[in-house]
Amino acid sequence: MFSKSKINEPGPKATETPAPTPAPAEKTDFKAPVTKAKPPASVLSSDLHVEGNIRTTGDVQVEGTVDGDIRAHLLTVGETATIKGEVVADDVVINGRIVGRVRGLKVRLTSSARVEGDIIHKTIAIESGAHFEGSVQRQDDPLSTAGAKRITGPDSNA
């Protein structure tokens, strides 16, 4: 009763020439870059006591005690943590205690922070309730050691 007509179907017309098929692409050794997932932060638990310096390009979360300097990308100091030494990081979030200099692009002292030492920063945030004893200095490049003065002893003019 009904039959399908080819009138409405798309297809090459008699006057059209079919589109040329593209030549196969040349083989190359190019591979799309594989994006690596950011590794999780290294955690120093509350029962850990470290004597010595820590250096990483990654993130560190300290919950224990560190007697030494720390250099990292992001440093999170937990409420139970105590660091005695210099801290240098792009981002520093302090919930615990630091005795020593803090240098960071972004430094944040939460309400439970206790800092005894100078802070050299590009941006800083200090929450109400944080305890801070020292000086605060803004620098465009706080991570460079050129702008930081080191007090070495009683002969220094501090």
Side-chain angles (χ1 to χ4, degrees):
M1 181 164 170
F2 292 103
S3 64
K4 187 172 179 181
S5 171
K6 294 189 177 191
I7 296 173
N8 293 330
E9 288 185 6
K13 295 182 181 175
T15 58
E16 288 183 16
T17 58
T21 58
E26 291 182 28
K27 265 192 159 182
T28 61
D29 289 336
F30 175 76
K31 293 181 183 177
V34 177
T35 56
K36 293 183 181 178
K38 185 177 177 185
S42 299
V43 179
L44 305 178
S45 67
S46 59
D47 63 341
L48 187 63
H49 179 94
V50 176
E51 292 184 12
N53 298 334
I54 298 171
R55 185 182 196 102
T56 181
T57 56
D59 301 347
V60 177
Q61 179 177 339
V62 178
E63 299 294 336
T65 304
V66 176
D67 289 330
D69 300 340
I70 299 177
R71 184 171 189 107
H73 170 66
L74 165 64
L75 174 66
T76 305
V77 181
E79 287 188 25
T80 60
T82 299
I83 298 172
K84 294 180 181 177
E86 184 177 41
V87 165
V88 180
D90 294 337
D91 263 337
V92 183
V93 179
I94 305 169
N95 300 301
R97 183 171 183 231
I98 294 181
V99 179
R101 182 181 311 163
V102 176
R103 294 187 335 197
L105 295 175
K106 291 183 356 183
V107 177
R108 183 166 69 121
L109 279 66
T110 65
S111 60
S112 60
R114 308 287 179 259
V115 177
E116 298 172 33
D118 299 339
I119 298 176
I120 303 169
H121 65 90
K122 188 168 184 179
T123 61
I124 190 167
I126 302 175
E127 291 181 4
S128 177
H131 290 220
F132 170 63
E133 190 175 320
S135 68
V136 177
Q137 181 181 359
R138 187 198 176 284
Q139 287 185 358
D140 285 331
D141 187 12
L143 304 182
S144 73
T145 56
K149 291 185 209 172
R150 195 129 183 133
I151 299 173
T152 56
D155 295 339
S156 63
N157 295 332

